[in-house]
């Protein structure tokens, strides 16, 4: 993609912060144009900062082309996962010689530093800061340590797990304590153990998933059934899922960037399959250690193999109901059978700390999870963006939960509705208050994945059925992730179309999803 080919008479292809879109004239610039060498070094460092701190990948090319145009540098950009290729020429009309540079960087979401990158970028495109000074700022930003140390990150992960378990998976007090321990161990494995061994770093996600399933299955196998397998296991696993990667891949595919988008989509799907199979392996490993637990589980699900499934229709008054109906010769199921159906069993006579939380607790749990989820992405606490992120997250959860009541079997539709609400709120914040839409929306997007998995049964596995193949849970997990990604993509692009169809700035927010 070249800058020259992307220019049109109405400014198509430019970033909205480009003065030619915001009607700021070059004559009003406060800093002189940099030399070609200084311009190149600034663009290279900006590319590294965008990739390292997690900028939306399908917007990187547009941002770089816009800044190159302002610095009078001819630039061509190709972005693939992990690598960006840049081809420079000395002047728009003169030399045909090119200088090809390759920028390679891994991505770790850091919303605080990404906001600083955006501020620096915005000052340069508005001619308020020279490229040389901006280069020094970006260089200092890349060398700066994260705002949270490793122990602080582990504590944030534990608290996030404590909140997520009752919020998304109806976990009891005991479940949330176990889930918090799982999240803490997973965070420790990633932040400390994986950095001590190159070999272990290659399998840290798979090892973490196996540990989570083993630990959760061990607790849920206690005969009284006071622990819920799904509430513990999926709270830990949701932090391992490639949520951001699969959404970025879907957005790139929708933006016609098929090469990088298809790579990310396939990678995320395969990785989700690995995690689904690792969960099953961890559960099976526990049953090898404790065969009596497997025997109790098989007894609890024995009735499933005797069920009769018929296809037909019922006629009620003037309407008819068609579909598949399952019949068994059992009466009211005993507690162990209720446990096998729902994945959790809550005896009404149990004390409060063994019960699922009441619905009114969501008023406190959702904002709290929004705060700690933002902190986990290195968003500074004392910041206006934090308040906006929490408000958008609450709107996201409310819209998603309401849509699942209306369309309980459609993850894609519910995800699209939730993403549409997030997009409208984020883009309006960007247009009215001149904020950063991407940072405002990031936390809300993360709320869609746990809700989608929980709405379809979580990770409850019966280990007995007509097919007898419980490894299909890994395929189901990948399928749910695809549904979330497709629905999210549709909702985000629709919200951008609605918000930017009115007013002067109609080109869309390039610092957004």
């Amino acid at each position: 993609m070249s800058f020259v080919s992307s220019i049109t008479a109405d400014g198509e292809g430019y970033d909205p912060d480009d003065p030619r879109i915001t009607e700021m004239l070059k004559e009003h610039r406060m800093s002189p144009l940099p030399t070609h060498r200084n311009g190149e070094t600034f663009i290279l460092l900006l590319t590294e900062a965008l990739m390292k701190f997690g900028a939306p990948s399908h917007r990187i090319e547009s941002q770089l082309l816009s800044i190159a145009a302002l610095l009078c540098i001819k630039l061509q950009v190709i972005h693939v996962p992990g690598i960006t290729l840049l081809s420079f020429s000395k002047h728009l009309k003169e030399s045909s010689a090119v200088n090809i540079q390759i920028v390679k960087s891994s991505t770790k979401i850091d919303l605080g530093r990404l906001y600083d990158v955006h501020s620096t970028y915005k000052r340069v495109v508005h001619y308020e800061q020279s490229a040389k000074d901006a280069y020094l700022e970006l260089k200092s930003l890349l060398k700066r340590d994260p705002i949270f140390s490793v122990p602080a990150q582990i504590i944030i992960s534990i608290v996030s797990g404590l909140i997520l378990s009752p919020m998304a998976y109806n976990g009891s007090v005991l479940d949330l304590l176990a889930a918090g321990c799982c999240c803490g161990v997973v965070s420790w494995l990633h932040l400390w153990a994986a950095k001590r061994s190159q070999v272990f770093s290659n399998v840290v996600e798979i090892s973490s998933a196996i540990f989570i399933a083993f630990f959760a299955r061990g607790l849920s196998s206690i005969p009284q059934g006071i622990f819920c397998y799904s509430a513990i296991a999926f709270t830990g696993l949701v932090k391992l899922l490639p949520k951001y990667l699969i959404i970025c891949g879907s957005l790139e595919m929708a933006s016609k960037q098929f090469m990088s988008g298809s790579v990310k989509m396939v990678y995320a799907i395969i990785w989700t399959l690995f995690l689904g199979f690792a969960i099953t392996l961890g559960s099976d490993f526990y049953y090898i250690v404790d065969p009596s637990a497997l025997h109790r589980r098989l007894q609890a699900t024995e009735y499933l193999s005797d069920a009769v499934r018929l296809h037909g229709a019922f006629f009620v008054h003037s309407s008819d109901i068609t579909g598949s109906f399952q019949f068994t010769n059992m009466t009211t199921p005993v507690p162990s059978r209720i446990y096998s159906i729902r994945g959790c069993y809550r005896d009404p006579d149990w004390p409060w700390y063994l019960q699922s939380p009441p619905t009114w607790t969501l008023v406190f749990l959702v904002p709290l999870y929004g705060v700690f989820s933002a902190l986990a992405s290195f968003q500074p606490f004392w910041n206006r963006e934090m308040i906006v992120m929490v408000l958008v997250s609450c709107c996201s959860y409310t819209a998603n939960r309401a849509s699942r009541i209306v369309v309980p079997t459609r993850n894609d539709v519910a995800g699209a509705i939730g993403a549409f609400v997030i997009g409208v709120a984020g883009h309006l914040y960007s247009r009215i208050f001149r904020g950063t839409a991407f940072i405002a929306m990031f936390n809300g997007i993360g709320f869609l994945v746990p809700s989608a998995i929980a709405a379809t049964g979580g990770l409850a596995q019966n280990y007995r059925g007509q097919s007898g193949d419980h490894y299909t849970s890994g395929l189901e997990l990948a399928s749910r992730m695809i549904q979330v990604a497709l629905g999210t993509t549709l909702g985000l692009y629709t919200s951008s179309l609605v918000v930017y169809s009115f007013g002067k700035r109609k080109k869309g927010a390039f610092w957004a999803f």
Side-chain angles (χ1 to χ4, degrees):
M1 180 178 181
S2 67
F3 168 75
V4 174
S5 63
S6 66
I7 301 179
T8 62
D10 62 348
E12 187 69 34
Y14 287 106
D15 189 288
D17 287 325
D18 192 313
R20 276 159 283 193
I21 299 299
T22 58
E23 300 178 358
M24 296 180 63
L25 302 177
K26 276 188 176 182
E27 289 75 10
H28 296 164
R29 63 176 179 258
M30 304 176 188
S31 58
L33 288 175
T35 63
H36 188 273
R37 183 177 182 83
N38 288 340
E40 276 192 19
T41 54
F42 170 70
I43 292 176
L44 289 173
L45 206 63
L46 176 64
T47 304
E48 182 181 355
L50 292 174
M51 296 173 63
K52 183 175 182 179
F53 300 140
S57 54
H58 63 298
R59 304 295 196 185
I60 289 179
E61 289 188 11
S62 301
Q63 293 163 0
L64 296 178
L65 294 173
S66 176
I67 198 72
L70 295 170
L71 302 180
C72 296
I73 295 175
K74 184 178 180 180
L75 176 66
Q76 293 180 330
V77 183
I78 297 177
H79 175 72
V80 295
I83 297 176
T84 301
L85 285 78
L86 303 98
S87 175
F88 295 95
S89 294
K90 283 197 172 183
H91 196 275
L92 288 173
K93 297 182 178 179
E94 292 180 358
S95 174
S96 60
V98 296
N99 177 23
I100 298 176
Q101 299 286 342
I102 299 176
V103 179
K104 182 178 180 181
S105 177
S106 58
T107 298
K108 182 176 177 62
I109 298 296
D110 192 326
L111 297 182
R113 285 191 282 186
L114 185 61
Y115 178 81
D116 294 337
V117 172
H118 175 222
S119 300
T120 303
Y121 166 87
K122 197 171 184 178
R123 287 194 296 270
V124 173
V125 300
H126 286 177
Y127 305 109
E128 298 173 359
Q129 186 178 24
S130 66
K132 185 176 181 179
D133 293 339
Y135 169 81
L136 296 177
E137 283 192 14
L138 291 179
K139 192 173 182 180
S140 174
L141 197 63
L142 288 168
K143 292 181 178 180
R144 196 173 73 192
D145 293 331
I147 59 175
F148 298 119
S149 62
V150 170
Q153 294 178 50
I154 294 176
I155 292 174
I156 291 172
S157 180
I158 292 174
V159 177
S160 298
L162 294 175
I163 301 171
L164 181 61
S165 179
M167 185 192 81
Y169 309 111
N170 295 321
S172 65
V173 174
L174 291 184
D175 294 331
L176 67 87
L177 293 176
C181 293
C182 278
C183 292
V185 172
V186 169
S187 182
W188 176 80
L189 291 175
H190 281 75
L191 298 174
W192 189 86
K195 294 183 178 180
R196 298 298 188 276
S197 172
Q198 182 64 34
V199 176
F200 181 71
S201 65
N202 295 327
V203 295
V204 61
E205 288 85 2
I206 302 298
S207 302
S208 300
I210 292 176
F211 163 77
I212 291 170
F214 185 90
F215 181 73
R217 183 59 70 188
L219 293 179
S220 65
S221 297
I222 295 176
Q224 291 78 11
I226 58 177
F227 287 96
C228 174
Y229 174 78
S230 294
I232 300 172
F234 208 83
T235 301
L237 182 65
V238 74
K239 297 184 177 297
L240 303 177
L241 292 173
K243 306 182 290 293
Y244 180 65
L245 185 65
I246 198 170
I247 290 174
C248 282
S250 180
L251 290 170
E252 288 181 351
M253 294 283 285
S255 302
K256 304 297 190 296
Q257 300 178 19
F258 299 111
M259 182 170 63
S260 58
S262 59
V263 170
K264 290 183 178 179
M265 285 287 286
V266 173
Y267 173 82
I269 292 170
I270 297 300
W271 197 248
T272 304
L273 290 175
F274 285 162
L275 293 178
F277 293 146
I279 282 287
T280 304
L281 288 176
S283 180
D284 288 345
F285 284 158
Y286 180 81
Y287 283 139
I288 293 175
V289 174
D290 186 7
S292 62
L294 177 60
H295 178 69
R296 292 193 300 270
R297 185 70 172 177
L298 292 177
Q299 281 186 329
T301 58
E302 185 177 5
Y303 73 99
L304 291 176
S305 60
D306 300 328
V308 178
R309 187 177 296 273
L310 300 176
H311 296 272
F314 284 134
F315 295 93
V316 182
H317 298 295
S318 59
S319 61
D320 63 300
I321 303 174
T322 61
S324 177
F325 308 96
Q326 181 169 298
F327 302 92
T328 61
N329 60 354
M330 58 181 290
T331 56
T332 303
V334 296
S336 63
R337 288 179 172 175
I338 296 176
Y339 172 79
S340 69
I341 297 172
R342 301 176 183 173
C344 302
Y345 171 64
R346 309 294 187 205
D347 193 315
D349 297 329
W350 283 353
W352 62 270
Y353 55 85
L354 297 179
Q355 303 291 343
S356 298
T359 306
W360 60 265
T361 58
L362 294 175
V363 177
F364 305 98
L365 293 176
V366 174
L368 278 176
Y369 183 71
V371 170
F372 283 94
S373 179
L375 293 177
S377 301
F378 299 97
Q379 172 64 32
F381 184 79
W382 300 109
N383 192 294
R384 183 183 70 173
E385 305 290 332
M386 171 65 80
I387 300 175
V388 177
M389 290 176 69
V390 173
L391 292 176
V392 173
S393 299
C394 293
C395 294
S396 166
Y397 184 86
T398 303
N400 193 264
R401 187 178 178 89
S403 61
R404 294 191 187 283
I405 297 175
V406 181
V407 281
T409 60
R410 295 297 302 271
N411 277 337
D412 50 353
V413 175
I417 295 174
F420 178 79
V421 173
I422 296 168
V424 170
H427 288 304
L428 287 177
Y429 171 67
S430 175
R431 293 197 67 175
I432 298 174
F433 298 99
R434 295 294 185 264
T436 306
F438 172 76
I439 295 177
M441 294 190 292
F442 181 84
N443 220 26
I445 296 296
F447 270 65
L448 300 179
V449 176
S451 300
I453 306 302
T456 51
L459 292 173
Q461 296 168 326
N462 291 320
Y463 286 87
R464 186 189 291 272
Q466 293 182 347
S467 63
D469 185 13
H470 55 270
Y471 280 91
T472 56
S473 61
L475 298 174
E476 294 173 359
L477 188 61
S479 175
R480 296 170 197 169
M481 290 293 293
I482 295 173
Q483 291 176 3
V484 172
L486 295 179
T488 302
T489 301
L490 177 62
L492 291 175
Y493 274 106
T494 304
S495 66
S496 179
L497 176 64
V498 170
V499 174
Y500 286 94
S501 295
F502 307 96
K504 294 182 179 180
R505 299 176 63 192
K506 298 182 180 181
K507 301 300 178 182
F510 279 70
W511 281 85
F513 275 106

